[in-house]
Amino acid sequence: MLFLNTIADVRSQLAAWRRAGEQIALVPTMGNLHDGHLRLVDTARNLAERVVVSVFVNPTQFVQGEDFDSYPRTPEQDAESLRERGADLMFMPEEKEIYPRGREGISFVEVPGVSEGLCGSSRPGHFRGVATVVLKLFNIIQPDVALFGEKDFQQLAVLRRMVVDLSVPVELVGVPTVRESDGLAMSSRNRYLSPNERQKAPALYRTLKGVAECLESGERDIVTLEREAMARLAGAGFEPEYVSVRCADDLAPAGGDEGALVVLAAARLGRARLIDNLRVSSDSK
Ligand code: PAF
């Protein structure tokens, strides 16, 4: 596996692979890789001859007061996991490589609508930072396909919209969430949970499952379902931010004859802010 830090080196390597007729898959990450990320790499290997994994803790997607400085950084461990998993290139740029003019007064990508509400409400500017860095990575690597975890459901919706709005020539693939055996969605931020909080954490998944099952059995009083789910999370020791039933395609509020639904939630548990989501089986309609 190659390990490169500069845009120039990555571009010349990718040009060689492209000249050889090879397709490129990109897995963008912030490092501290877990099985969820490695599932993205496995899927990528089935979709393209070459798999590039970027590891960059992107400062512009952290809101004031969030964990940018303390975000876990484990580059040696990440390189080892990626090598074992058969990735071809780990791209780990310095901040100045990605933001040569700093973080202020620079061009940003705004994706209106789908980036508003849900996590967009509590993390203003977050999706702007995500869309910007992902477009930069697309411009640097020019992948044929890029893979993202469905755990960050709103992020994936924002990026799908960006790619359409800005005619970016890349196929986006969402990969289902990888869970611990008790249902907790894998996340680098799970390490912020104390042992006691870790025991409580699967209640988030159970709560989403409860809402999805009610919807699948025909219940359509969405406001009550969301309110009861918030209360259930609070009772389990969380500080819930939202539980929301939305249209899976565009995250519009559910309410009528829409197609597939998804239930999304965000809640704090101690130092950790956890997010998760579950699609509602469409057989229920
Ligand atoms: O999902 C993430 O890890 C990040 O938001 C991403 C897509 C790598 C952009 O920094």
Side-chain angles (χ1 to χ4, degrees):
M1 185 183 75
L2 294 164
F3 180 95
L4 302 176
N5 307 105
T6 68
I7 295 173
D9 285 350
V10 167
R11 284 200 169 129
S12 79
Q13 180 57 57
L14 289 172
W17 285 339
R18 250 182 238 110
R19 273 196 305 277
E22 293 176 324
Q23 301 263 99
I24 314 287
L26 170 66
V27 178
T29 80
M30 298 208 300
N32 192 236
L33 304 179
H34 50 66
D35 281 353
H37 297 110
L38 299 177
R39 183 75 58 85
L40 299 178
V41 176
D42 293 344
T43 311
R45 288 188 59 199
N46 292 325
L47 297 176
E49 284 85 7
R50 296 291 181 178
V51 176
V52 178
V53 180
S54 60
V55 172
F56 179 64
V57 184
N58 173 36
T60 63
Q61 70 187 75
F62 288 78
V63 175
Q64 192 81 30
E66 287 189 344
D67 56 345
F68 173 66
D69 291 330
S70 59
Y71 194 85
R73 288 160 171 88
T74 52
E76 285 88 17
Q77 196 182 302
D78 293 345
E80 193 48 42
S81 310
L82 292 176
R83 200 170 290 121
E84 274 172 19
R85 221 58 177 220
D88 295 282
L89 196 170
M90 174 167 159
F91 173 45
M92 201 173 96
E94 296 284 333
E95 186 178 328
K96 64 177 181 330
E97 191 74 9
I98 298 292
Y99 296 110
R101 296 201 311 109
R103 302 178 198 170
E104 303 298 326
I106 58 169
S107 306
F108 274 103
V109 180
E110 292 277 3
V111 184
V114 74
S115 66
E116 291 155 23
L118 305 172
C119 291
S121 298
S122 56
R123 307 187 73 191
H126 167 68
F127 289 118
R128 186 175 90 147
V130 170
T132 302
V133 80
V134 170
L135 185 65
K136 278 171 163 279
L137 291 168
F138 287 171
N139 286 336
I140 295 164
I141 291 154
Q142 300 184 356
D144 299 283
V145 55
L147 297 95
F148 297 87
E150 287 183 349
K151 184 178 89 67
D152 297 293
F153 200 89
Q154 189 176 13
Q155 166 172 284
L156 185 53
V158 168
L159 296 173
R160 285 194 192 287
R161 184 67 61 83
M162 174 188 83
V163 160
V164 171
D165 286 353
L166 300 179
S167 309
V168 187
V170 62
E171 181 195 346
L172 298 195
V173 172
V175 177
T177 303
V178 179
R179 299 182 180 280
E180 304 286 357
S181 55
D182 57 9
L184 177 65
M186 287 194 186
S187 163
S188 302
R189 290 187 168 105
N190 290 350
R191 63 162 56 195
Y192 297 154
L193 297 167
S194 68
N196 185 31
E197 288 160 356
R198 174 64 191 80
Q199 282 203 324
K200 294 178 180 171
L204 181 58
Y205 172 64
R206 287 198 298 272
T207 302
L208 290 175
K209 214 159 175 256
V211 176
E213 282 168 3
C214 286
L215 291 164
E216 282 160 7
S217 64
E219 175 61 59
R220 281 295 176 270
D221 183 351
I222 285 171
V223 173
T224 304
L225 284 177
E226 290 172 348
R227 199 180 43 234
E228 286 174 357
M230 293 280 281
R232 187 168 172 199
L233 286 176
F238 288 79
E239 274 177 64
E241 237 173 54
Y242 65 80
V243 177
S244 191
V245 181
R246 299 288 179 110
C247 301
D249 282 347
D250 58 2
L251 294 182
D257 277 345
E258 61 279 292
L261 298 177
V262 59
V263 196
L264 306 105
R268 288 188 183 277
L269 189 56
R271 255 186 82 209
R273 179 180 181 278
L274 304 180
I275 60 170
D276 202 351
N277 67 82
L278 213 51
R279 282 173 183 271
V280 178
S281 161
S282 46
D283 300 345
S284 59
K285 305 207 82 198

